[in-house]
Amino acid sequence: MTRTRLTAVDEVPENGSFLFTVRERDGTEEEVILVRCDPGADGDGENEDEGGAENGDREETVRAWRNFCQHETDQRLDRGFGAAVREGEVVCPKHGSMFDTCSGYCDNGKAADSYLSDVEVTVDEGVVYLTDPGVRYSHDGGIDDGDDGPSSTSHLSF
Ligand code: FES
């Protein structure tokens, strides 16, 4: 399995997100947000093995979601300064629908009864790795941040 180092778990904000860009199988670039997930926060821990990563330590669990709302897919959740995360939910900046950070599920507002689109990541000893076979790491930040030359050598794949 190929995995690419993304960042340390500690670098993922408690009330925000870590933004990076991947290349999809069809060659298009897509932004992805890493967010903290505390399965014990709202009793929604039964989906721990879906769409994300956990290493047995609840404090170090993160999830990765493609950076768009399910109500209007051109609406980014993180518009360049971190997604709004409140009490275990990602808040859409346009109409305020809230998505569970662990399951990606929304049960409210305009995006009700939908799930965010997940990207597979894995946590190993406090480090978050991209392990989704369907995408390749492109660079940190948003799509528009990728024009500055080669990405950092800290993102080694192995
Ligand atoms: S665009 Fe996100 S809830 Fe409408």
Side-chain angles (χ1 to χ4, degrees), residues 7 13 33 35 44 55 61 74 81 84 92 103 107 122 125 134 151 154:
T7 189
I33 57 171
V35 294
D44 185 28
N55 64 353
T61 302
D74 61 350
F81 38 87
C92 174
S103 68
D107 65 359
T122 301
E125 296 186 354
S151 58
S154 67

Side-chain angles (χ1 to χ4, degrees), residues 84-136:
V85 176
R86 303 282 179 271
E87 299 178 352
E89 297 189 296
V90 180
V91 184
C92 174
K94 189 161 186 180
H95 301 118
S97 281
M98 296 176 291
F99 299 84
D100 187 279
T101 57
C102 296
S103 68
Y105 183 65
C106 174
D107 65 359
N108 57 86
K110 304 261 188 188
D113 208 22
S114 68
Y115 283 89
L116 295 176
S117 175
D118 70 295
V119 170
E120 183 182 320
V121 292
T122 301
V123 172
D124 187 4
E125 296 186 354
V127 176
V128 187
Y129 296 91
L130 176 65
T131 50
D132 194 318
V135 301
R136 278 189 301 120

Side-chain angles (χ1 to χ4, degrees), residues 69-73 75 77 92-97 99 109-111:
C69 183
Q70 297 299 303
H71 174 223
E72 294 180 5
T73 54
Q75 176 60 51
L77 301 168
C92 174
K94 189 161 186 180
H95 301 118
S97 281
F99 299 84
K110 304 261 188 188

